[in-house]
Amino acid sequence: MDLRKLKYFKVVADEKHIGRAAKILHISQPPLTRQIHQLEEELEVKLFNRTPKGMELTDAGILFREEVNNIFGLIEQATERTQKAGQGRLGRLDIAIFGSGIMGDIPKILLAFKERYPEVNVVLHTMGKGEQINALRQKRISLGFNRLLAPLPDIDSELVAIEELVLAINTNHPMASMPAIPFAKISDIPLILFPASNRPNFIDKTIRLCQLAGFTPNISQEVGDAVTSIALVASGFGACLIPKSASVLTIPGVVYKSLIEAPDETEVDLSCIFRKEDASPLLRAFLDIVIEYRTANEKLNR
Amino acid sequence: MDLRKLKYFKVVADEKHIGRAAKILHISQPPLTRQIHQLEEELEVKLFNRTPKGMELTDAGILFREEVNNIFGLIEQATERTQKAGQGRLGRLDIAIFGSGIMGDIPKILLAFKERYPEVNVVLHTMGKGEQINALRQKRISLGFNRLLAPLPDIDSELVAIEELVLAINTNHPMASMPAIPFAKISDIPLILFPASNRPNFIDKTIRLCQLAGFTPNISQEVGDAVTSIALVASGFGACLIPKSASVLTIPGVVYKSLIEAPDETEVDLSCIFRKEDASPLLRAFLDIVIEYRTANEKLNR
DNA sequence: GCATCTCAATACCTTTAAGGTATTGAGAGG
DNA sequence: CCTCTCAATACCTTAAAGGTATTGAGATGC
């Protein structure tokens, strides 16, 4: 079977005339005659009745014409869908996020991506840092959002945003009435830190910042995630440092305060990681959105 | 586009190796390399990643492979149907069934149809709900059997049967000795539900029934199909609800129990779907058989 | 770190089959 | 019976698929 023959058959069926069909197809009449004969031989079916006025479809030919139209429709659809997939406009993208990352920048990026590539099915998985790297290597995900990354030979990363840190503090604490809190004052307050795993982590970062400011933090509790941490602040365990985006979480008993007179780098990065050699257009399209988002944000902040 | 290229693509995709594929196709390696390149050029899409170990499909390539299989399926169907038509006995009906549907009513209907139209070649395909609708629209099938359908503008449906639900339970479970089980008792047992996709599905239905009965089900596991589900019951994961027809599956370790004191609608429909505008006499003949079957059954139950 | 091995890719020639020109054959109509 | 209008046949040309030999690139082993 050969698509050329099917195309020729279609035109002859429409024109009911080999000569005219040949003209439409920009070939001469004899080869077209031959192709039609070959098609009939191959199918072992007479598709046309030859009359002195031209060609007329048989019953089988009428059926075959419909089927041929279906075939061409499917081929067209296949090429279009494949081209879309090749440009990253169709398919499935598995992305890992971490617990508190679901607030702030990540949903904005996901929305921007979904708007531009509505036919891409984005599947979200919640994973810690180590798990993300495993999942990337096993190709279970194509991209992971994370913070405080250490470089790896097979994993690339792209910065998404840099967020300043704010202090979550109990409303009954004396400092809760201050408009902003000098960083050094933190030395007086018991701190709740998170997460307890996946080094280098936000705990290491906090400890380093305190040392830069000239004191050792008073660590009250280590917990697994930002939400637990804030819940403990509400019940009076102490205060905690969190990225500003997480401060959309409002709980009775907790207020968020900006920090002043803070060391440089009193901020935390949000990045995304992906396999260095992953050339999937879907991933690259996503990274383009991430970069756009970051540059738009940088301009805004200047 | 050229079917030769598609055929070659399929073999290379299967073998992940141009040399081996060339051998299978009884041609030498260089022309095959060229054909694959031409295909990629024509589609303007990279279909393979070249690795030192061979060829690996890209995401777009994976999609294209499926589409190509659909195309060949349609071509096969077209030639067969045309040949039959040429011999004056038009007759191939492509029908989709779902995993567990192969038990119960469907084979009875198929038998009834084959008895009345012995010359018609019925070809069965196993597909999920979404896939069936795709295949109907692409005219790769003429009819699909399914459950729990949502209405669609271009697809009509016809009810086949309504089946009561029974509980599959491990023989070691205390309730296994009861003659029948009150529905509310299900709240105590971990449930295995299926299928995990194709909403609205049987899982949604089960959850709704439990809510009607005044409790939230204790979901132990979601699986893809009824057979897996029953296998898990056998190994002690919990119990599951299945349509009565599937209870012909007997496995050591599983017994089936009727439910008493159950909410209304503790039953599930079996329907068939088809293109609204499909006037093919073959399809209409099949639907006639379906309707006859249903009315005969209804009388029987009265 | 060099040799080797295993792939796909390239270069160049051969063969197959599609396409073209000229002509014939067959049925219908005047 | 001539002619007109088609498709069919005969025979040549050309485009493109297939083949052989070789190269190039990335891994693997000593």
Side-chain angles (χ1 to χ4, degrees), chain B residues 256-299:
Chain B
Y256 299 98
K257 295 286 164 185
S258 299
L259 292 164
I260 52 179
E261 298 159 30
D264 284 352
E265 292 180 47
T266 302
E267 57 195 22
V268 70
D269 64 293
L270 173 67
S271 299
C272 56
I273 53 179
F274 46 92
R275 286 184 297 281
K276 202 168 262 181
E277 87 296 357
D278 188 343
S280 140
L282 231 70
L283 172 67
R284 298 297 155 179
F286 193 92
L287 289 174
D288 286 347
I289 300 261
V290 167
I291 292 164
E292 266 175 45
Y293 177 86
R294 188 187 64 215
T295 48
N297 251 24
E298 278 166 0
K299 269 184 201 149

Side-chain angles (χ1 to χ4, degrees), chain B residues 229-257:
Chain B
S229 183
I230 292 169
L232 289 185
V233 172
S235 46
F237 269 71
C240 76
L241 283 171
I242 59 165
K244 192 169 188 179
S245 67
S247 69
V248 294
L249 255 186
T250 55
I251 306 185
V254 177
V255 288
Y256 299 98
K257 295 286 164 185

Side-chain angles (χ1 to χ4, degrees), chain B residues 84 90 121 151:
Chain B
K84 287 269 164 68
L90 168 56
N121 182 16

Side-chain angles (χ1 to χ4, degrees), chain A residues 46-62:
Chain A
K46 232 181 109 197
L47 297 169
F48 293 97
N49 290 316
R50 276 72 170 173
T51 72
K53 307 193 111 189
M55 313 276 280
E56 200 160 62
L57 282 170
T58 61
D59 287 353
I62 290 169

Side-chain angles (χ1 to χ4, degrees), chain A residues 249-263:
Chain A
L249 258 186
T250 56
I251 307 184
V254 177
V255 287
Y256 299 98
K257 295 286 164 186
S258 299
L259 293 163
I260 52 178
E261 299 160 28

Side-chain angles (χ1 to χ4, degrees), chain A residues 1-4 6 42-47 59-61 63-64 67-68 70-71 74-75 77-79 81-87 90 92 139 279-282, chain B residues 1-4 6 42-47 49 56 59-61 63-64 67-68 70-71 74-75 77-79 81-87 90 134 138-140:
Chain A
M1 184 59 65
D2 177 357
L3 289 183
R4 187 195 287 110
L6 298 188
E42 186 176 351
L43 291 172
E44 299 175 312
V45 169
K46 232 181 109 197
L47 297 169
D59 287 353
L63 180 91
F64 191 62
E67 301 281 352
V68 167
N70 292 341
I71 290 166
L74 199 50
I75 288 172
Q77 195 180 321
T79 58
R81 285 169 54 88
T82 306
Q83 281 167 354
K84 273 193 187 177
Q87 295 158 17
L90 177 74
R92 166 174 168 155
K139 307 201 176 168
S280 143
L282 233 73
Chain B
M1 184 60 63
D2 176 358
L3 289 183
R4 186 194 288 111
L6 298 188
E42 187 176 351
L43 291 171
E44 299 175 311
V45 169
K46 233 181 109 200
L47 297 169
N49 289 317
E56 202 163 61
D59 289 353
L63 182 97
F64 191 61
E67 302 280 354
V68 166
N70 291 343
I71 289 167
L74 201 51
I75 288 172
Q77 193 179 319
T79 57
R81 284 167 57 92
T82 305
Q83 283 166 354
K84 287 269 164 68
Q87 295 155 19
L90 168 56
N134 262 338
Q138 295 172 355
K139 309 201 175 166
R140 287 184 285 118

